[in-house]
Amino acid sequence: MRSVRRALTAATAVSLLALSVTACSDDGTTVRFGYISDYNGASLLAIAQKQGLWEKQGLTPEIKVFTNGPLQIQALGAGDLDFGYIGPGAMWLPASGKAKVVAINTLAYADRVIGRPGVASMADLKGKKVGVPEGTSGDMVLNLALKKAGMTAADIQKVPMDPATVVSAFSAGQIDGAGIWYPLIDTIKQKVPGLTELASTKEFPDNSFPTAFVGGTKVDQELTTKVIKVLQEANDWRAAHPEESITEAAGLLKLDPAKVKADAANVRTMTTADLVAKTKDGTVAKWLNSLGDFFVGTGQLKSRPDPATYYTGDLYEKASSK
């Protein structure tokens, strides 16, 4: 829980961004939804707004941008958020009973371990300062890369910091390496063009990295089903219109579409029918078990829980058939 406590200190970094939903009825149920400022976290919300999908379900969205997944799960627990988005590195929190996974989103491969110019390998980081947002996918890729190199966290000076601080600290030369993700790495490259990429989640085919949408532990099935329907329809629109989805996400994020396209290149999207099939045949459970085993190894989980205890796959399947 160290990452959650540290996430609280970053709460002031959370800003509120209410979607313009002029098409929504005045009496629609308001849904407070969190996201992270990247293609994975923003694309479905942007599409749902543009396509009027919230209105179809009688919902009015109020979205908030967060710097990471643990912060959103903390907000869920405090009753300040109804749903949110997390990357694979935060999946230990639903697995430990802090939230429910209501929908799988994508498989993500945007995380890297980066080093300053001249740092050519993980071994070069021995004894050096390495910044990382704890409990995130950046932390996950760092741990995987250390293990692959025959190292542990004890071999480096691991410095916990929020994502924005990683960017500024690396750019200023205050840390020698970082476990962080795109598109933040693109921001760092503008200031440190000679940085090196030492490890990537793409290098670990035996591990799975699903991103997901989460809700509180006390799931309101009717509301959750409506939200899942919005996400499923937006998901299929994204799968059918990949270029347009980048444009929509860029509009919400207020970023150059070229940057969002580069970010999207690290993402594997799937149709709703595919995700339903993968839920039914146990593939999603295998992904979550892979993460569970990893988190047991890092000490974030004492034991690997059954994915059925925190993934509402039954609701996801039923929502797709209605």
Side-chain angles (χ1 to χ4, degrees), residues 116-117 129 165-177 188 191-192:
R116 295 195 61 75
K129 292 181 179 179
T165 305
V166 169
V167 174
S168 59
F170 193 98
S171 301
Q174 296 169 345
I175 54 177
D176 304 288
I188 297 172
K191 298 181 179 179
V192 191

Side-chain angles (χ1 to χ4, degrees), residues 143-161:
N143 284 317
L144 286 168
L146 287 169
K147 183 178 180 180
K148 183 178 180 180
M151 300 165 62
T152 70
D155 292 313
I156 61 174
Q157 295 183 52
K158 188 176 180 181
V159 185
M161 51 181 62

Side-chain angles (χ1 to χ4, degrees), residues 124-140:
D124 289 342
L125 288 177
K126 284 187 177 180
K128 303 290 181 63
K129 292 181 179 179
V130 180
V132 63
E134 281 197 313
T136 68
S137 53
D139 198 8
M140 188 176 191

Side-chain angles (χ1 to χ4, degrees), residues 87-307:
M91 198 67 75
W92 66 279
L93 289 164
S96 62
K98 302 300 181 183
K100 295 284 187 180
V101 173
V102 301
I104 298 297
N105 180 28
T106 64
L107 293 178
Y109 302 96
D111 298 278
R112 305 286 189 274
V113 177
I114 59 174
R116 295 195 61 75
V119 177
S121 68
M122 291 299 297
D124 289 342
L125 288 177
K126 284 187 177 180
K128 303 290 181 63
K129 292 181 179 179
V130 180
V132 63
E134 281 197 313
T136 68
S137 53
D139 198 8
M140 188 176 191
V141 72
L142 176 60
N143 284 317
L144 286 168
L146 287 169
K147 183 178 180 180
K148 183 178 180 180
M151 300 165 62
T152 70
D155 292 313
I156 61 174
Q157 295 183 52
K158 188 176 180 181
V159 185
M161 51 181 62
D162 64 72
T165 305
V166 169
V167 174
S168 59
F170 193 98
S171 301
Q174 296 169 345
I175 54 177
D176 304 288
I180 197 67
W181 52 83
Y182 282 97
L184 293 180
I185 295 173
D186 278 328
T187 301
I188 297 172
K189 282 182 176 179
Q190 293 175 8
K191 298 181 179 179
V192 191
L195 68 79
T196 55
E197 294 191 6
L198 307 176
S200 164
T201 42
K202 293 180 179 180
E203 300 172 17
F204 303 96
D206 294 334
N207 296 80
S208 299
F209 306 98
T211 70
F213 296 99
V214 293
T217 55
K218 297 179 180 179
V219 174
D220 181 311
Q221 292 198 10
E222 183 178 358
L223 177 60
T224 300
T225 297
K226 289 181 178 181
V227 169
I228 291 173
K229 282 178 173 293
V230 171
L231 295 172
Q232 288 178 338
E233 193 166 350
N235 182 59
D236 285 336
W237 194 95
R238 179 177 63 185
H241 306 86
E243 293 299 322
E244 293 95 327
S245 74
I246 289 170
T247 300
E248 297 301 337
L252 174 59
L253 296 171
K254 295 180 173 57
L255 291 175
D256 182 342
K259 290 185 177 181
V260 179
K261 184 174 183 178
D263 183 21
N266 295 301
V267 174
R268 175 187 165 192
T269 61
M270 293 160 281
T271 64
T272 296
D274 192 15
L275 285 169
V276 168
K278 283 177 166 53
T279 295
K280 289 181 176 180
D281 70 13
T283 300
V284 171
K286 289 180 181 178
W287 293 342
L288 298 177
N289 280 331
S290 171
L291 288 174
D293 287 336
F294 172 80
F295 295 131
V296 169
T298 61
Q300 289 163 292
L301 291 176
K302 292 183 179 180
S303 61
R304 188 189 75 190
D306 183 343

Side-chain angles (χ1 to χ4, degrees), residues 65-89:
V65 60
F66 288 75
T67 57
N68 58 51
L71 258 178
Q72 292 177 71
I73 291 181
Q74 179 66 33
L76 286 171
D80 298 328
L81 205 61
D82 299 309
F83 296 90
Y85 160 83
I86 63 172

